[in-house]
Amino acid sequence: MDRQGNDVAMTKSELIQHIADMNPHLYHRDVERIVTTIFDEISEALSRGDRVELRGFGAFSVKRREARVGRNPRTGTAVHVSEKHVPFFKTGKQLRERLNNR
């Protein structure tokens, strides 16, 4: 959300364009390759079960959710939900402080 309370999201292509605009000496295709490589490396590390820490920004990790019995909200019947691994992001101190305007 922006300061007026509107939902704002930056897509990957907008991120690439923003970085390319800030660095006119770099070709757009090179910026795209760099961003894609960073995202791919983070994804690969998480799929191996590794933790990725970007100092001052935050840390990506994988959390395990146990198998459980859930409920179908429409019928109320019991449904088996299998074990899952989900990505998790914990913000770093500098990012938290910047978000809270300290």
Side-chain angles (χ1 to χ4, degrees), residues 34-94:
I34 291 166
V35 170
T36 300
T37 301
I38 290 169
F39 289 167
D40 289 346
E41 287 299 317
I42 291 172
S43 298
E44 284 295 318
L46 292 175
S47 69
R48 290 190 307 264
D50 295 342
R51 181 174 184 268
V52 178
E53 183 178 336
L54 304 171
R55 298 281 168 139
F57 182 72
F60 297 92
S61 60
V62 177
K63 294 219 176 202
R64 181 173 162 257
R65 289 195 185 155
E66 298 283 341
R68 62 186 174 83
V69 176
R71 298 262 174 224
N72 180 329
R74 185 172 295 188
T75 63
T77 58
V79 178
H80 175 73
V81 179
S82 59
E83 173 186 8
K84 295 179 186 178
H85 291 84
V86 294
F88 179 76
F89 178 74
K90 181 177 180 185
T91 58
K93 182 180 177 185
Q94 288 176 339

